[in-house]
């Protein structure tokens, strides 16, 4: 039994080391960016991106509590998993293929408006019923580059695409 545990532990450590070296800290940068965007911390998200982007224009501010509730629920529903990682030969660029699932805030908002127009109650419970529908499943390629300090950063176009996926 001890030999089996040792063998499995050694195998797991080997797999984890391979996964960590396969794309360096690129997956960690991707994870940090997504986590910051989901929390609406765009200044923090900007630290994971190459280039300048007007982060304050990425989120719409409104006093409508139902809209904020929909946004909170749909952003919170965004999940992704890494399908494949590949790095160029000089290890300065990395491409990560992800699959993601989420509820579209635009679709939920539109469906909510339609249901209210047809007589549904204007409430969070109506939104929760809409959120029982299936999430959208899609794939995306994320490009990262290593800066002069050796830190992995998302390319600007990949960051904008991810924000669109998380908030749309």
């Amino acid at each position: 039994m001890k030999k089996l545990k040792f063998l499995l532990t050694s195998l797991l450590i080997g797999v984890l080391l391979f996964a960590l070296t396969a794309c360096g800290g690129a997956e960690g940068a991707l994870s940090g960016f997504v986590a910051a965007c989901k929390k609406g911390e765009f200044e923090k998200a900007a630290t994971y991106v190459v280039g300048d982007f007007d982060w304050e224009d990425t989120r719409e501010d409104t006093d409508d509590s139902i809209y904020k509730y929909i946004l909170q629920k749909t952003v919170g529903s965004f999940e992704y998993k890494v399908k494949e990682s590949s790095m160029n030969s000089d290890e300065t660029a990395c491409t990560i293929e992800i699959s993601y699932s989420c509820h579209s805030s635009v679709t939920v908002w539109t469906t909510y408006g339609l249901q209210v127009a047809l007589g549904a109650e204007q409430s969070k419970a109506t939104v929760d019923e809409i959120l029982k529908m299936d999430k959208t499943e899609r794939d995306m390629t994320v490009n990262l580059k290593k800066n002069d300090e050796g830190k992995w950063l998302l390319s600007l176009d990949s960051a904008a695409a991810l924000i669109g996926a998380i908030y749309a």
Side-chain angles (χ1 to χ4, degrees), residues 17-37:
L17 286 175
F18 175 77
L20 289 172
T21 59
C23 205
E27 290 180 22
L30 174 61
S31 176
F33 176 80
V34 170
C37 287

Side-chain angles (χ1 to χ4, degrees), residues 30-42 44-45 59 71-80 101-102 135 162-163 165-167:
L30 174 61
S31 176
F33 176 80
V34 170
C37 287
K38 286 176 71 169
K39 293 177 185 173
E41 298 173 346
F42 293 112
K44 182 176 180 181
R59 208 165 71 171
L71 196 58
Q72 172 192 14
K73 289 293 193 173
T74 56
V75 167
S77 81
F78 183 86
E79 297 173 338
Y80 76 94
S101 64
C102 62
K135 293 181 177 182
L162 267 172
I163 288 174
I166 293 169
Y167 279 88

Side-chain angles (χ1 to χ4, degrees), residues 139-167:
D139 295 324
M140 178 184 293
T141 301
V142 180
N143 298 308
L144 296 99
K145 299 175 185 177
K146 195 181 276 189
N147 68 5
D148 295 336
E149 293 85 39
K151 181 179 176 184
W152 286 102
L153 301 172
L154 280 77
S155 64
L156 194 57
D157 59 337
S158 291
L162 267 172
I163 288 174
I166 293 169
Y167 279 88

